[in-house]
Amino acid sequence: MLLFLLLCLLLLLLLLPPLAMLRQQQPQDARVSWLASLQYRVAWRALFWAAAWQQQRLEQSTLHVGRSQEQALSWCLQRAQGPCCPLRASTDLSDFRNHLPLTKASQVQEEESGGQLPPPTSKQYHGEASLQATLLGLAALNNAYPEVLAPGGTARVTPTSPWPSPLPWPWHALGHVSPRGAKDPGALLLAALRSPGLRALEAGTAVELLDVFLGLEANGEELAEAIAAGNPGAPLPRRAAELREALQQGPRGLALRLWPKLQVVVTLDAGGQAEAVAALEALWCQGLAFFSPAYAASGGLVGLNLWPEQPRGLYLLPPGAPFTELLPVKEGAQEEAASTVLLAEAQEGKEYELVLTDHTSLSRCRLGDVVRVVGTHNQCPVVRFIYRLGQTLSVRGEDIGEDMFSEALSRAVGQWPGAKLLDHGCVENSILDSSKGSAPHYEVFVELRGLRNLSEENRDKLDRCLQEASPHYKSLRFRGSVGPARVHLVGQGAFRALRAALAACPSSPFPPEMPRVLRHRHLAQLLQKRVVS
């Protein structure tokens, strides 16, 4: 920290003489802009050097991944909280695995235990790893889109941020038009709407951004009046008229109509977000790139995104703390999987469940997040997140995974004329006691755009798509052991209410993760009460 402060002071001293000369030549009313320019230059230089230092550290650690993981394990053991740990003086992997058996940290177990078994890292993402992800993400974003960090180029529209770590002074001066420290969603959205020159739009997650655009459509006139009344001496009445005109043209391409210079949308990637990203890309954010600086799994930040220009969803698994292991996933045998492997031992094309160990709990937690290795960066695997084991549907042992169900639902919705899927949630019928003498089945709740009623023919298409995706499910359906999936259309705002309920629950992983399979009756009933067809 002392080195960092000295570096900032040195940069400030280097910048002050030429800027002071400029200040003497400027009139009194230009001094505020002079100070803002100084702050921006200091922030930019500090970001450049800090990101370069973090990049160098990352390169070194990924070149010597075995040594880096040994150091990460040693760090976790030496800082373990609670009773004295006999492993603190040893980093032998065999002893480590023998003394600390694998445990699970799924959402269901966490909620049922009343929060007594949390995942190994906090969802607040504090620590050096989150700062590294933020600095490297900002540098990568600037390399791909050089003007987004310019003054007034970025706005955040949700209380949560996509950046894992809050940046201290002097980085507050970079780009943002959002009120510093603001938590009111309305104030954040108004600040963004008043700034037509935005080049980047930030939101905590894609599902939160989806809620922002749905709310913008629902409350557009109220927002336009607030903009017009905000400052009568400025050209804001014209901006209010632009907002009304943009909304009248519908959702498709709305973001670019509101902000013609917009280039990229920044959200934090996590489980259950792909559906919202697809809806945003097809409608409100059509024509825009999406970037996530990191991947937030069940146990915290586990992947870094160093390539904004590459196809979305590629992340580097870094070798630092928390200590990361990979558990091979065998089809149909996740419960009896083999022993874990280290990052350098991962094989391209294979799927693994993530296992994290951190000093806060000193437990080897199986996160339930499954990744597929698609490449390497130096000696570390580059992965794509596939699905979450805790989001599996099974009423007769059929095990319909999150990825399989989402693909089947997407194919079914594609056969519903004019429909665009915005959100969905699933419930095993026993949660709602909805059998009424019928065979066990799934209750599926969907929120759509472009379709107000579901015919029985359209409802049946999901069950047919599930049978095509899973021979086991098809066999159970043929024998009558499993009933057809029942599809319900919910009204607008149903999933926004669900997310509000999840956010109010201390043990919930939302944000950033969005559950797709609901295990608690009160959450399922929340959607059931909002069924419109």
Side-chain angles (χ1 to χ4, degrees):
M1 178 60 70
L2 180 60
L3 180 62
F4 171 75
L5 294 175
L6 290 174
L7 178 61
C8 289
L9 180 60
L10 177 61
L11 290 171
L12 183 60
L13 291 174
L14 290 173
L15 288 166
L16 277 176
L19 290 174
M21 294 177 63
L22 289 174
R23 181 181 183 274
Q24 293 174 1
Q25 300 171 6
Q26 293 183 1
Q28 181 73 21
D29 58 3
R31 292 187 179 181
V32 174
S33 62
W34 173 88
L35 179 60
S37 176
L38 171 62
Q39 291 175 335
Y40 177 76
R41 289 173 182 267
V42 172
W44 178 247
R45 293 290 181 90
L47 172 64
F48 174 82
W49 287 107
W53 179 60
Q54 289 286 358
Q55 183 68 45
Q56 183 179 17
R57 292 186 64 206
L58 181 66
E59 291 299 314
Q60 288 297 318
S61 65
T62 55
L63 279 171
H64 308 284
V65 63
R67 184 175 63 190
S68 299
Q69 285 215 275
E70 183 177 336
Q71 292 172 349
L73 177 58
S74 176
W75 185 89
C76 291
L77 294 177
Q78 290 176 7
R79 288 163 177 77
Q81 300 174 357
C84 182
C85 175
L87 295 174
R88 284 183 179 176
S90 171
T91 57
D92 181 78
L93 282 173
S94 297
D95 290 344
F96 169 71
R97 288 164 172 160
N98 289 335
H99 280 84
L100 295 176
L102 293 174
T103 59
K104 291 185 179 180
S106 67
Q107 175 191 355
V108 177
Q109 287 179 315
E110 182 186 357
E111 292 181 357
E112 289 178 350
S113 63
Q116 298 302 310
L117 183 62
T121 50
S122 168
K123 67 179 181 180
Q124 299 300 316
Y125 312 125
H126 294 317
E128 185 177 354
S130 61
L131 180 60
Q132 181 186 57
T134 300
L135 290 172
L136 293 180
L138 282 169
L141 183 65
N142 182 72
N143 289 335
Y145 308 97
E147 296 179 305
V148 298
L149 297 184
T154 303
R156 177 168 51 86
V157 293
T158 60
T160 58
S161 171
W163 302 105
S165 174
L167 290 176
W169 183 91
W171 288 309
H172 293 306
L174 286 176
H176 268 271
V177 302
S178 308
R180 188 180 305 174
K183 293 295 183 183
D184 177 49
L188 290 167
L189 181 56
L190 275 174
L193 291 172
R194 288 178 175 134
S195 305
L198 293 181
R199 297 182 182 274
L201 202 64
E202 294 182 357
T205 63
V207 294
E208 292 173 276
L209 182 60
L210 180 62
D211 287 339
V212 168
F213 277 106
L214 291 172
L216 174 57
E217 289 183 323
N219 306 307
E221 182 57 35
E222 179 182 340
L223 290 166
E225 292 175 358
I227 291 174
N231 186 353
L236 292 181
R238 183 175 64 186
R239 183 60 178 161
E242 292 173 352
L243 172 58
R244 293 187 177 101
E245 182 180 353
L247 289 170
Q248 287 174 358
Q249 297 178 44
R252 198 175 301 274
L254 176 61
L256 278 175
R257 291 197 300 275
L258 291 173
W259 302 286
K261 297 181 180 180
L262 201 61
Q263 295 176 283
V264 62
V265 175
V266 183
T267 61
L268 183 63
D269 200 0
Q273 302 293 327
E275 215 163 71
V277 172
L280 289 166
E281 287 181 327
L283 295 174
W284 300 273
C285 298
Q286 189 179 65
L288 295 172
F290 275 71
F291 172 68
S292 170
Y295 190 94
S298 305
L301 293 175
V302 294
L304 302 178
N305 185 355
L306 307 178
W307 313 280
E309 68 283 356
Q310 296 295 322
R312 190 178 64 251
L314 298 183
Y315 297 93
L316 169 70
L317 296 182
F323 182 68
T324 304
E325 301 170 85
L326 301 173
L327 185 64
V329 173
K330 297 182 178 179
E331 186 175 355
Q334 288 101 343
E335 300 302 320
E336 294 81 23
S339 62
T340 59
V341 300
L342 299 182
L343 296 182
E345 301 168 329
Q347 299 180 34
E348 188 168 348
K350 299 291 186 179
E351 294 184 359
Y352 301 91
E353 181 185 355
L354 292 173
V355 178
L356 293 192
T357 302
D358 202 347
H359 68 285
T360 54
S361 60
L362 199 61
S363 58
R364 298 171 66 214
C365 286
R366 294 177 55 179
L367 301 186
D369 296 85
V370 175
V371 301
R372 178 181 298 128
V373 179
V374 297
T376 58
H377 178 78
N378 293 333
Q379 295 181 351
C380 278
V382 175
V383 303
R384 187 184 301 277
F385 285 79
I386 307 301
Y387 59 91
R388 297 167 291 174
L389 292 173
Q391 299 295 298
T392 298
L393 288 164
S394 181
V395 293
R396 291 289 191 191
E398 67 279 11
D399 291 337
I400 301 293
E402 180 182 20
D403 57 334
M404 182 184 295
F405 185 90
S406 295
E407 184 178 347
L409 179 59
S410 178
R411 289 203 308 271
V413 174
Q415 300 174 44
W416 300 348
K420 179 61 186 176
L421 180 65
L422 300 184
D423 233 325
H424 88 273
C426 306
V427 184
E428 295 171 3
N429 72 292
S430 59
I431 300 294
L432 288 171
D433 292 332
S434 58
S435 294
K436 296 180 180 179
S438 63
H441 58 273
Y442 312 146
E443 302 281 351
V444 183
F445 301 92
V446 297
E447 185 174 342
L448 302 173
R449 175 60 63 95
L451 195 64
R452 296 186 177 182
N453 292 289
L454 281 176
S455 65
E456 289 303 317
E457 181 183 1
N458 284 337
R459 297 176 200 268
D460 293 340
K461 288 176 181 177
L462 173 59
D463 195 73
R464 289 200 293 268
C465 288
L466 285 172
Q467 293 185 49
E468 293 171 1
S470 171
H472 191 183
Y473 179 82
K474 182 177 182 178
S475 173
L476 291 171
R477 287 284 294 112
F478 178 76
R479 299 200 303 265
S481 301
V482 171
R486 299 179 181 178
V487 186
H488 310 280
L489 178 62
V490 298
Q492 183 174 316
F495 282 91
R496 195 186 320 170
L498 173 63
R499 283 188 275 277
L502 288 168
C505 179
S507 60
S508 170
F510 179 82
E513 287 195 64
M514 180 63 192
R516 294 300 173 193
V517 177
L518 304 177
R519 308 291 186 186
H520 294 271
R521 182 174 300 177
H522 72 282
L523 296 177
Q525 289 175 336
L526 189 151
L527 293 179
Q528 190 179 42
K529 293 175 182 177
R530 289 165 171 80
V531 170
V532 296
S533 173

